[in-house]
Amino acid sequence: MDVNIGAYLAVMGACALFSCALFGVSARNRLGFSSRRALSLGVCTLLLGTVLCILCAKVLFFFFRFSYLTRNRGGEFWLSLRTEELSYYGGVAGVSFAVMLCARLFRLNVRETLNAFAPAGALMAAAARFAEYFLYPTGTGATLDQPLPFPLALRIVYDEDYSEYVLAVFMLEGIVSLVVFVLSLLRKKEPRRFLRTLAWLCIPQILLESLRSDAINWLLVHVEQLLCFLFVQGVLVWYGWNGNRKSFSSWVPALLGLLVCGVIIAGEFALEGKILLGGSMIPRWITYLVMVSALAVLAAAEHLGNRNLSAHSPG
């Protein structure tokens, strides 16, 4: 497979247009906009979102690779738009900042504007992952011993006599993001729709980032995996603080989050062979099963935290 930047940009551009149109429709329905004003908001978000998405994606990647880039790339880095030098999560932050700025420009309630944008944002996240199909080897995982069908794996053909299969992590990420898009779309009256949509996107990424061969690592730490967990844990702490903070039950979700963190760390050490069972590596499928179960607990903790907060506030 070859990198096809043209196809990647076409997919991203088409989805950005569709997502901003969806945002305009959501703003008209949720915020009571006229069609003309909703169109203006969508166009403003498209333009600002594109600029801030790229800028924040560059800034966050620069932060991750600071020492390397200052030694070897210098000013060249800032003038390049190489996709392998852009942080996905920086892009997510940039688009979110653009929506907040548009809300200020249109003199709107920032929280309600973000809530209206949530499904469109999840759709853009899914498209960004699916579009990685055109950026091989970006978004792929380990080489597989046994072939698997697409979308679970990509077949890489080197010649007529030799090919191999690699895990298509980007497809799994895109499918999960689409599920979150549907959930966000259905939760129209959710008072914390944007916050919860981001949390729902981050929870499965805690595992999926571990599967990516192109993950940004600091020693054994998958940096963007850590960012996902820190955001979710921050949401759980926010639930506890803004609920009945004097009640132990309000802090149970945050405590469960810390427990899940411990399980995920242990899982990463097991995958690296740092934790052995009877002198042998723990089978990877068992480790992944434990990690998936831990993330299910984290999802339940998020639901519990939101429910506790709803019981102690008007939203």
Side-chain angles (χ1 to χ4, degrees):
M1 294 183 66
D2 297 318
V3 172
N4 189 337
I5 292 294
Y8 173 79
L9 293 176
V11 171
M12 291 301 300
C15 185
L17 285 170
F18 182 81
S19 296
C20 288
L22 177 63
F23 177 36
V25 173
S26 181
R28 187 181 63 186
N29 296 335
R30 190 178 182 109
L31 305 177
F33 272 23
S34 65
S35 296
R36 184 173 181 177
R37 198 174 185 212
L39 176 62
S40 298
L41 178 63
V43 171
C44 181
T45 302
L46 177 63
L47 297 177
L48 277 176
T50 301
V51 173
L52 291 182
C53 175
I54 296 173
L55 177 61
C56 291
K58 294 291 286 185
V59 168
L60 196 58
F61 187 88
F62 180 78
F63 174 76
F64 292 154
R65 295 297 196 198
F66 176 82
S67 59
Y68 168 78
L69 291 171
T70 51
R71 286 198 313 269
N72 300 284
R73 297 292 306 282
E76 177 191 350
F77 166 77
W78 297 104
L79 300 176
S80 167
L81 288 179
R82 295 166 60 180
T83 54
E84 64 270 25
E85 293 182 347
L86 297 173
S87 166
Y88 173 84
Y89 298 97
V92 170
V95 173
S96 301
F97 291 148
V99 175
M100 288 188 281
L101 182 56
C102 287
R104 290 297 187 186
L105 292 174
F106 281 76
R107 298 181 180 179
L108 302 171
N109 180 285
V110 173
R111 176 178 171 179
E112 285 302 314
T113 305
L114 287 170
N115 284 340
F117 177 75
L123 182 61
M124 291 178 70
R129 289 310 195 188
F130 286 134
E132 288 180 348
Y133 174 85
F134 301 106
L135 299 178
Y136 177 81
T138 298
T140 58
T143 301
L144 302 175
D145 296 328
Q146 299 295 328
L148 289 175
F150 186 81
L152 297 177
L154 286 180
R155 184 187 180 198
I156 311 302
V157 179
Y158 294 99
D159 55 50
E160 61 182 13
D161 297 319
Y162 179 71
S163 63
E164 65 181 14
Y165 289 81
V166 294
L167 189 65
V169 183
F170 68 91
M171 287 298 299
L172 302 177
E173 292 171 320
I175 292 169
V176 168
S177 298
L178 272 186
V179 172
V180 173
F181 161 68
V182 173
L183 290 174
S184 183
L185 197 63
L186 294 176
R187 300 298 294 266
K188 296 180 181 179
K189 299 186 183 299
E190 170 61 57
R192 290 171 287 277
R193 191 190 202 187
F194 181 77
L195 185 69
R196 299 196 72 196
T197 298
L198 275 182
W200 296 339
L201 285 171
C202 285
I203 289 172
Q205 286 294 142
I206 294 171
L207 174 61
L208 294 172
E209 279 297 328
S210 175
L211 298 176
R212 292 173 68 99
S213 295
D214 61 334
I216 301 173
N217 299 325
W218 289 342
L219 300 178
L220 293 179
V221 178
H222 301 294
V223 178
E224 294 183 303
Q225 178 191 38
L226 177 62
L227 285 181
C228 288
F229 173 78
L230 290 177
F231 177 80
V232 177
Q233 184 64 20
V235 171
L236 298 180
V237 171
W238 184 84
Y239 285 158
W241 182 258
N242 287 277
N244 184 8
R245 68 189 67 164
K246 295 182 180 180
S247 171
F248 175 77
S249 62
S250 293
W251 296 103
V252 168
L255 294 174
L256 286 173
L258 293 177
L259 177 62
V260 168
C261 179
V263 173
I264 296 298
I265 291 173
E268 291 293 341
F269 274 100
L271 292 172
E272 293 290 333
K274 306 296 183 181
I275 297 178
L276 303 177
L277 185 63
S280 302
M281 282 192 63
I282 301 171
R284 298 178 76 86
W285 70 268
I286 293 179
T287 302
Y288 283 126
L289 181 61
V290 171
M291 293 172 75
V292 168
S293 300
L295 293 180
V297 171
L298 188 61
E302 190 281 329
H303 175 74
L304 177 61
N306 179 70
R307 189 178 65 182
N308 289 343
L309 179 56
S310 297
H312 293 94
S313 72

